[in-house]
Amino acid sequence: MSESKTPEKNFVGKPPVFHHQNSHSPNSTLQLPSPIITKRTRTASTSARALENPIERGIVKSFSRSKGHGFITPSEGGDDLFCHVSDVEGEYVPLPGDEVKYRLCAIPPKYEKHQAVHVQIINLTPEVHHKWEEPIYPESPAK
C-alpha cells in the first residue's frame, strides 16, 4: 500500500515556503517589519522624546488619504519628511501647499531619519478642504 504524496501528507509542522518566480535570492520570502512608526505602535518613551523636540514648520508636499500618508517639505530645508495619517491632528485632511507645524520623531532601526508627528495645519490653501469624517470619493482632491 503506497501512500500518495499530497501537500497535506508532506506537511510536517512547517508551512510551505513559496519563492517569487523572478527572484534568485534565498531570502525572497523574508518579511521585514515596517520601519514606519504610527501613533498606535509608538512606544511611550518614543512619544515622550518626540514631545521634547522643538516645533518645526513646513509645507505639505503631497498627502494621500486613501494611502494613509504624505510628505512635508521642511521650511528650514532638508529632505522631505514622511507623515502618517494617524499623526495628523485637526478636523481637515491636508492638501498640497498647506502650511503645517509638527515635531520630529526618529525612525528605527538606526534612528538617523525622522518622520513628522503631531502635525497640525496652521494655514490652509484656498482650495476646499474635506473633513476626516467625510467619505472618500474618487474625484475628490483629498484622495
Side-chain angles (χ1 to χ4, degrees):
M1 294 183 160
S2 68
E3 294 182 18
S4 66
K5 293 191 177 193
T6 62
E8 294 80 23
K9 298 280 184 188
N10 291 333
F11 186 73
V12 188
K14 289 185 180 180
V17 177
F18 298 101
H19 295 281
H20 297 285
Q21 291 179 351
N22 297 332
S23 176
H24 299 291
S25 170
N27 295 326
S28 62
T29 59
L30 180 64
Q31 294 291 319
L32 296 175
S34 172
I36 304 306
I37 304 294
T38 65
K39 188 180 252 183
R40 192 180 83 183
T41 60
R42 194 173 300 130
T43 63
S45 61
T46 303
S47 293
R49 279 193 302 270
L51 285 173
E52 292 172 1
N53 290 332
I55 294 176
E56 310 267 339
R57 291 178 180 253
I59 304 292
V60 175
K61 180 178 182 179
S62 63
F63 193 86
S64 174
R65 181 176 173 187
S66 60
K67 291 181 183 177
H69 69 271
F71 293 91
I72 296 172
T73 302
S75 297
E76 302 293 320
D79 293 338
D80 291 340
L81 299 167
F82 177 83
C83 174
H84 190 264
V85 68
S86 66
D87 288 310
V88 178
E89 300 171 356
E91 60 181 321
Y92 292 104
V93 178
L95 290 177
D98 287 344
E99 187 178 352
V100 293
K101 64 180 183 176
Y102 57 89
R103 294 181 189 267
L104 295 176
C105 180
I107 301 174
K110 294 182 180 182
Y111 298 98
E112 294 172 347
K113 294 186 178 188
H114 294 87
Q115 72 182 58
V117 297
H118 302 289
V119 178
Q120 296 176 337
I121 301 173
I122 55 176
N123 191 8
L124 299 169
T125 59
E127 289 124 23
V128 176
H129 283 68
H130 296 279
K131 293 187 176 185
W132 289 107
E133 64 268 6
E134 291 178 17
I136 301 173
Y137 296 108
E139 68 277 355
S140 171
K143 294 184 184 173

